[in-house]
């Protein structure tokens, strides 16, 4: 009787876990830099961009720090720190450069399918907040990245800028706003689908939907053994890869823990869910054209900053308000209620407990958000749209976010609200944890990841030359060079069909 042949594992150069904007961006960069690299992409759902990258699961703001007040905190002395805003604005310009390259080379055929010009505004009320916004404006306008920003406390100007928000307001109400017209609305779901459509037409690139990664372990030769289950057939297979990227959104932490790398020790996750109110009245939608960000309530996470957003999704204009935060033990919108308890290990229990003790106001805030009634949500909306009627708005469930908890010498553990890249010492495996402004700055995050994981290759003349072809400002700082900033924005605006004026660039 003939012996059964032992199944051999599939071997690839790169495995990407998760079919969202991060994997799509990294896969596209790798394919452009190393066209012969074999890439396998695994997604547990039966479609790409169905979690955080989906248009209805995020705000769609091209996060460039033009309107987001949490990126410009006020110091104890009253001054406003804009260092983080500068960094984010610069990173978003790199994203636009890369997307422009994709358009020029036919990788994306119509930029208007995923990016549109929408003014970005900050809006506040009350003496203290008005004073803060004025100080923020005075600080930011001095930097060329924010040239073109306007400020007003004049109700007549505000009625011109945001007529829907100004309807029904008292003439003596203390209000202020900033506006800048180079803001954008981005459909990251549409962008992700375009990138994967291009990638899957390439030789050596395979996208496998409804395939869930169940385990990750180091092989004897230093490569990574990935156990994958086909959720349609229930069959398991093993894939061996030289490099693994875990870009599974909220699910990244659980997979990172399975890898067993010491660099993952101490990392935990705090899930925050979200909801929007979506306008259903076309007449109301037509009265607003901007992304208007306010100030977060005390104790609330930055992702819960209230904002009234013009969206363009699949060519149709929409209007969203929120997000209303909530708590769920799921790490993904389509995840398991056991995700949070399953993530707790001996290596991270102390940081998670310490972060929990330090963030009791946040916990109380989330509990109160979960308990909100439809009338409570309407009252929050009316702070921005005084004439809002309940019948014109419906509830839309947003995506799930997992905020990063990490070790801290002083506190034991701290809760972070940005993104965190965790890589093994040899650079053979890397994971992205956290949330905003991730999608908008995905290009700079992935370029940095490649330099970290492939340091020698990233120094070669061929590699650097290709990066400069894709992103002409690469290795230069548009934050330090006003002329380069102007030229970069002009070029990107022309290719991406964005509105541009001399004043705004």
């Amino acid at each position: 009787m003939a012996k059964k042949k032992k199944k051999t594992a599939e071997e690839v150069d790169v495995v990407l876990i998760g079919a969202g904007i991060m994997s799509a961006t990294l896969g596209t960069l790798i394919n452009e830099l190393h066209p012969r690299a074999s890439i396998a992409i695994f997604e547990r759902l039966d479609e790409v961009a169905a979690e955080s990258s989906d248009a209805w699961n995020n705000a769609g703001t091209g996060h460039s720090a033009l309107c987001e007040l949490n990126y410009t905190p006020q110091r104890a002395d009253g001054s406003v720190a804009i260092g983080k805003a500068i960094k984010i604005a610069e990173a978003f310009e790199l994203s636009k450069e890369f997307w422009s390259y994709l358009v020029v080379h036919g990788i994306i055929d119509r930029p208007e399918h995923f990016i549109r010009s929408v003014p970005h505004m900050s809006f506040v009320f009350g003496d203290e907040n008005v004073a803060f916004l004025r100080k923020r404006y005075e600080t930011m306008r001095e930097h060329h990245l924010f040239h073109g920003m306007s400020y007003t406390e004049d109700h007549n100007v505000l009625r011109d800028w945001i007529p829907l928000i100004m309807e029904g307001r008292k003439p003596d109400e203390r209000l202020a706003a900033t506006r800048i017209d180079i803001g954008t609305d981005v459909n990251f779901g549409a962008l992700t689908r375009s990138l994967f459509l291009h990638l899957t037409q390439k030789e050596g690139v395979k996208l496998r939907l409804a395939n869930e990664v169940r385990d990750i372990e180091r092989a004897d030769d230093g490569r990574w053994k990935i156990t994958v289950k086909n959720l349609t057939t229930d069959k398991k297979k093993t894939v061996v890869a030289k490099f693994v990227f875990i870009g599974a959104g909220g699910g990244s932490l659980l997979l990172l823990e399975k890898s067993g790398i010491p660099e993952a020790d101490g990392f935990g996750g705090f899930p925050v869910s979200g909801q929007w109110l979506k306008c259903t009245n076309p007449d109301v939608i037509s009265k607003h054209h901007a992304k208007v960000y306010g100030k977060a309530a005390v104790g609330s996470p930055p992702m819960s900053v209230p904002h009234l957003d013009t969206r363009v999704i699949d060519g149709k204009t929409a209007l969203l308000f929120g997000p209303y935060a909530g708590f769920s033990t799921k790490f993904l919108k389509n995840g398991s209620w056991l995700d949070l308890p399953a993530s707790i290990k001996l290596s991270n229990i102390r940081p998670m407990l310490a972060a929990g003790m330090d963030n009791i106001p946040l916990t109380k805030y989330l509990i109160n958000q979960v308990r909100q009634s439809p009338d409570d949500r309407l009252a929050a909306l009316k702070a921005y749209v005084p004439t809002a009627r309940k019948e014109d708005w419906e509830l839309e469930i947003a995506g799930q976010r997992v905020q990063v908890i990490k070790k801290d010498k002083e506190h034991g553990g701290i809760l972070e609200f940005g993104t965190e890249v965790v890589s093994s010492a040899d650079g053979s495996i890397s994971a992205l944890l956290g949330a905003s402004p991730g999608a908008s700055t995905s290009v700079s995050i992935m370029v940095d990841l490649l330099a970290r994981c492939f340091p020698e290759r990233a120094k070669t003349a061929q590699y650097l030359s290709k990066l400069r072809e894709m992103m002409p400002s690469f290795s230069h700082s548009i934050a330090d060079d006003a002329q380069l900033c102007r030229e970069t924005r002009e070029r990107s605006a022309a290719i991406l069909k964005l509105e541009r004026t001399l004043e705004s660039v």
Side-chain angles (χ1 to χ4, degrees), residues 413-433:
I414 55 172
L415 183 64
E416 297 277 354
F417 289 104
T419 51
E420 184 89 21
V421 176
V422 182
S423 302
S424 61
D426 65 355
S428 63
I429 189 168
S430 192
L432 184 75
L433 307 177

Side-chain angles (χ1 to χ4, degrees), residues 14 25-35 37 94 98 101 243 442-472 474-475:
V14 175
T25 300
L26 181 58
T28 304
L29 280 167
I30 290 174
N31 186 254
E32 291 296 310
L33 290 162
H34 312 289
L94 198 71
F98 181 61
Y101 168 86
F243 173 73
S442 57
V443 176
S444 64
I445 292 171
M446 292 300 106
V447 169
D448 289 345
L449 182 149
L450 287 173
R452 180 190 300 189
C453 295
F454 305 97
E456 294 307 315
R457 188 175 294 179
K459 294 175 186 174
T460 64
Q462 183 181 3
Y463 182 96
L464 295 171
S465 175
K466 184 63 179 180
L467 281 182
R468 291 190 191 101
E469 179 191 348
M470 293 189 285
M471 296 158 281
F474 176 75
S475 75

